[in-house]
Amino acid sequence: MTLLAVERIKLFSTRSPWWCMLAALVVTVGIAAVMSAASNPVTISGSQTGYTFGMAVVMVLAALAVTTEYRFGTIRTTFQAVPRRGAALTAKAVVAGLLSVFVGLLAGFGSWAIAKLLSPEADLALNSTARWINVGGISVVYGLAAVIAVAVGILVRQSAGAVSLLLIYMLAVENLVRVIPTVGDKIYAWLPFTVADRFISGAGQTTSSSPLSPGWALAYFAGVAVVSLAIAIAVAKKRDA
């Protein structure tokens, strides 16, 4: 608990987390407002269209939580205070993940609320498990995405490089894989953020998306996050700070 408290204090010692949280909420809820105004009526899944862009901002926040320490050299002090590097880096991932879960809750239910406000005639009742996942499940995905971003930050150690890699992969690479002849759609179906979208969207998937059920999709995405962090910690233990 002490490590978590220390990492929380360090994370909020700069302004970037606050700006990232605000940006994630504004982007996600803003897109929900636009979709609600443009669609007649809007659907539950339509109200959550902007979650991907909010997740990108959350991943930037999580990556900076690590790379900022490498940039200013304070990671050496951290490792001197906590010789068990795995514990220190895991604490960073947990704090970033929990914060992202909180942001995801606000983003998901904020988007749903603005859609309900702007399109009161729409059927936006949370009256099934799938609909609850469509709205509340964003928080879990944000948290796991933050863990992946922390892992990338540990591996790359540079803010610009980590952020660029995360955004390019998330917003472009997975979709570009689909253009590969013959096997593109098959590979695309198993890429992490495609699988995460399967969990969020449930049955509303195209034939080229993940074949996994929502439950297994969440387990798969969680596995990617855990394995990524484990690899990053193993690499961090073997190299100089």
Side-chain angles (χ1 to χ4, degrees):
M1 293 301 292
T2 301
L3 275 178
L4 295 179
V6 169
E7 292 302 330
R8 175 181 57 80
I9 292 170
K10 286 197 292 186
L11 179 62
F12 286 104
S13 63
T14 61
R15 296 179 181 177
S16 59
W18 298 102
W19 284 111
C20 287
M21 290 169 61
L22 179 61
L25 292 175
V26 169
V27 168
T28 308
V29 178
I31 291 177
V34 172
M35 291 300 296
S36 300
S39 303
N40 188 24
V42 70
T43 62
I44 287 281
S45 58
S47 70
Q48 305 300 323
T49 303
Y51 91 89
T52 302
F53 299 98
M55 181 164 60
V57 180
V58 163
M59 293 179 74
V60 170
L61 183 160
L64 291 178
V66 179
T67 58
T68 300
E69 283 212 58
Y70 278 105
R71 177 185 176 188
F72 292 104
T74 55
I75 194 70
R76 297 186 182 90
T77 305
T78 297
F79 289 157
Q80 288 174 353
V82 186
R84 293 178 299 131
R85 294 187 178 186
L89 296 174
T90 299
K92 288 183 182 295
V94 170
V95 169
L98 290 176
L99 177 61
S100 299
V101 166
F102 175 69
V103 174
L105 278 174
L106 294 180
F109 283 97
S111 297
W112 171 78
I114 196 70
K116 197 169 181 63
L117 178 65
L118 295 177
S119 189
E121 74 286 354
D123 178 17
L124 298 175
L126 300 177
N127 52 11
S128 68
T129 301
R131 289 189 168 198
W132 276 102
I133 290 175
N134 207 190
V135 177
I138 289 174
S139 63
V140 182
V141 171
Y142 274 23
L144 293 173
V147 173
I148 294 174
V150 168
V152 172
I154 294 170
L155 291 170
V156 177
R157 299 195 291 184
Q158 294 181 344
S159 297
V163 169
S164 298
L165 182 61
L166 287 167
L167 295 183
I168 291 172
Y169 176 82
M170 179 186 168
L171 299 176
V173 172
E174 287 202 358
N175 286 322
L176 289 175
V177 166
R178 304 177 73 175
V179 304
I180 300 174
T182 308
V183 297
D185 280 343
K186 295 179 181 179
I187 296 173
Y188 173 76
W190 294 96
L191 295 178
F193 293 102
T194 300
V195 175
D197 189 60
R198 168 62 173 165
F199 167 67
I200 293 294
S201 301
Q205 292 290 304
T206 62
T207 56
S208 62
S209 297
S210 172
L212 296 173
S213 67
W216 280 110
L218 177 61
Y220 182 97
F221 191 58
V224 171
V226 171
V227 170
S228 299
L229 183 61
I231 293 172
I233 289 174
V235 171
K237 287 180 177 179
K238 293 183 179 181
R239 67 186 181 191
D240 295 335

